[in-house]
Amino acid sequence: MSQELHRSVLLREAVDALVTDPGGFYIDGTFGRGGHSAAILQKLNDAGRLLGVDKDPQAVEYAQQRFSDDARFAIWHGSFADMDTAAGDWAGRVNGILLDLGVSSPQLDQPERGFSFMQDGPLDMRMDTSRGDSAADWINSESEAELAHVFKEYGEERFARRIAAAIVRRRAERPFSRTLDLAEVVKAANPVWEKGKHPATRVFQAIRIRINGELDDLQRALDQSLQLLAPGGRLVVISFHSLEDRMVKRFIREKERGPQLPRGLPVRESQISKTLKSVGKAVKADTGEVSENIRSRSAVMRVAEKLG
């Protein structure tokens, strides 16, 4: 398999924040094409170990080829929502977990994967092509009300109901099977186009999140990180849209504050169980990185550390 062009976002910043012990055990929960994994391995010594995780069979195959000679690395096919299964006996001893959310460049750039509204391909959008319903299955069978709900909640699309109605009208005549066909229907139904943004952007984002269960998986992964990380272990998350970033920010803030007890209880601050502390402020790509990789412009990185 040839290596597709892929630039890992916030590469140096993420790896520097993640690796605190060169002999530790780390999880790259979104292997992609291995940019972050390669940089992590460069910082590990011979005792260090890295577990890569990815839903995408293509990414797993690529990982097996790229790092076949490195005994410190292993790859696991599945969602980072099941990191606890992947980590096995390492639970509670993990020194760092990296989650680079969203879609990798190869997924976007391959028309046959069905993620792009700019290139024609089968309407698929599954990160794991070995299981689950495709985007076409869902678009052609879901109720109009649920389509609108998903477009509004996951895509923050203000014309969700109007677009959903247009899709239902069209599919009654001919089911959807191609990306550009769906994009044209969405485009025609969208009355106000944002400058510099394709009118189908939000709808395609919403469908992708729904098909792949991205927000549910993220919440499960965040919850699992508390059991997986050793005291002092780092959680590093790179988000690419506001829904993800709000979830990560809220999770860190809640675990940093600890449980909110009723006023008047005779409990000292030191007695409140807190499980995480945030490390630094949210990090965004600098102008140099954005100029070289436009996909980094919306990236936000947050870091937290497990308390003992």
Side-chain angles (χ1 to χ4, degrees):
M1 182 189 301
S2 62
Q3 179 176 354
E4 296 90 343
L5 178 63
H6 176 69
R7 294 174 177 169
S8 297
V9 173
L10 294 168
L11 178 63
R12 177 182 56 80
E13 294 89 343
V15 175
D16 286 350
L18 182 77
V19 180
T20 57
D21 176 3
F25 180 86
Y26 296 87
I27 298 176
D28 181 354
T30 44
F31 176 82
R33 286 303 180 268
H36 285 118
S37 283
I40 293 168
L41 287 167
Q42 287 179 356
K43 298 199 74 167
L44 299 185
N45 60 29
D46 290 344
R49 293 293 182 269
L50 174 63
L51 173 65
V53 176
D54 208 291
K55 286 181 175 181
D56 189 340
Q58 287 188 8
V60 172
E61 181 184 350
Y62 179 75
Q64 291 168 338
Q65 294 181 9
R66 180 171 183 181
F67 298 114
S68 60
D69 296 330
D70 196 329
R72 301 171 301 165
F73 177 82
I75 186 71
W76 188 81
H77 179 215
S79 169
F80 56 58
D82 298 313
M83 283 188 298
D84 55 349
T85 301
D89 293 340
W90 283 97
R93 298 189 289 150
V94 178
N95 298 96
I97 297 170
L98 172 64
L99 303 177
D100 178 12
L101 307 175
V103 187
S104 70
S105 298
Q107 288 170 332
L108 282 172
D109 294 339
Q110 295 174 11
E112 63 270 21
R113 299 301 301 272
F115 288 100
S116 177
F117 45 76
M118 303 296 289
Q119 304 178 79
D120 192 37
L123 191 56
D124 195 316
M125 293 197 203
R126 290 173 297 166
M127 291 179 182
D128 186 348
T129 52
S130 69
R131 68 190 76 181
D133 292 337
S134 69
D137 294 331
W138 184 74
I139 280 290
N140 289 320
S141 62
E142 190 55 85
S143 69
E144 181 177 329
E146 181 61 15
L147 291 175
H149 171 74
V150 168
F151 299 161
K152 182 174 177 58
E153 292 299 311
Y154 295 165
E156 300 177 295
E157 173 56 67
R158 58 189 289 209
F159 301 108
R161 293 174 63 183
R162 178 171 178 154
I163 293 170
I167 288 172
V168 170
R169 283 196 303 271
R170 213 316 292 276
R171 78 185 188 192
E173 303 170 5
R174 187 173 77 257
F176 290 94
S177 63
R178 310 290 294 182
T179 53
L180 287 190
D181 182 23
L182 176 62
E184 285 301 313
V185 171
V186 173
K187 182 177 175 181
N190 195 323
V192 179
W193 297 2
E194 298 174 56
K195 186 176 181 181
K197 181 176 286 190
H198 191 286
T201 300
R202 294 180 182 276
V203 167
F204 268 62
Q205 172 187 294
I207 297 170
R208 190 202 79 218
I209 290 172
R210 167 61 179 78
I211 291 299
N212 294 288
E214 292 178 36
L215 297 183
D216 290 341
D217 279 7
L218 175 57
Q219 187 60 60
R220 287 174 59 193
L222 293 173
D223 292 337
Q224 284 181 25
S225 69
L226 297 176
Q227 283 71 51
L228 290 171
L229 288 171
R234 295 282 181 87
L235 172 66
V236 179
V237 186
I238 303 172
S239 306
F240 288 86
H241 59 72
S242 59
L243 293 173
E244 295 170 337
D245 185 52
R246 283 199 295 268
M247 285 180 65
V248 176
K249 181 179 180 180
R250 186 186 314 119
F251 176 80
I252 294 174
R253 184 175 65 237
E254 289 176 354
K255 302 310 175 185
E256 194 170 28
R257 284 188 320 203
Q260 298 303 289
L261 302 176
R263 287 185 179 182
L265 285 183
V267 178
R268 294 192 298 271
E269 179 75 13
S270 60
Q271 294 176 295
I272 298 175
S273 175
K274 301 177 181 181
T275 49
L276 288 177
K277 69 172 182 178
S278 59
V279 178
K281 298 181 179 180
V283 177
K284 297 186 178 183
D286 59 27
T287 53
E289 180 171 2
V290 173
S291 66
E292 293 179 0
N293 181 9
I294 193 63
R295 289 171 179 162
S296 69
R297 64 184 172 185
S298 58
V300 179
M301 184 181 82
R302 297 187 186 273
V303 182
E305 186 173 295
K306 173 78 175 290
L307 296 174

